[in-house]
Amino acid sequence: VNPAVYERLASLGYSSLQITLAKGAAVMLFIYALSLFTALPVFYTGGYAESVPVLFSTIFVLVFFSVCFFLLIDELIPDAELSFIGASFLIVAGAILGGHLIPDMYFPDWMQRLSDFTVNSWLMTFTFTNIQENIFQWGLGAALCCFALCSLLFVLEVARRVR
């Protein structure tokens, strides 16, 4: 949120927790709608029409996790430029180690074991398992990541409000 908009909302009586939650909800709705807008035609033309309900729930969880992650970075690093640089670095590092850019089967043994503990790897496994098996099921990694990030974001926001 722009600092001027933030100050105006704060002067109207909105708490920083309300502003953060509203920002997260707005971004989440926008990204969710955009994700469905781009994914639905691919699913229907690719012959995966029966997996569309699973797609809705899987994309919701992925978008929710992503928004929580970036809100957490925004809370940890209040400077917008540094927050953007930190988020970009984490995205690239996670994509490399998690197997998004290079499949992890091409990694050395030590790096394959390391990629099993990355958030990107958990989310890719979560997505592919749900789409291929046509059922929505929580993987332990995805559930723990979402819970941990949401909890940490809440604790940071409460600590900021107390200050």
Side-chain angles (χ1 to χ4, degrees), residues 88-144:
S88 299
F89 175 76
L90 289 174
I91 288 172
V92 171
I96 290 172
L97 290 176
H100 274 94
L101 298 178
I102 302 168
D104 57 0
M105 65 184 185
Y106 296 118
F107 290 162
D109 289 337
W110 66 272
M111 205 169 182
Q112 283 181 0
R113 286 190 295 272
L114 182 65
S115 79
D116 291 339
F117 296 102
T118 61
V119 175
N120 289 41
S121 176
W122 293 338
L123 291 177
M124 280 182 58
T125 303
F126 169 72
T127 303
F128 291 140
T129 301
N130 286 340
I131 300 298
Q132 288 173 352
E133 295 180 9
N134 197 20
I135 57 169
F136 181 76
Q137 60 184 9
W138 277 93
L140 180 62
L144 289 177

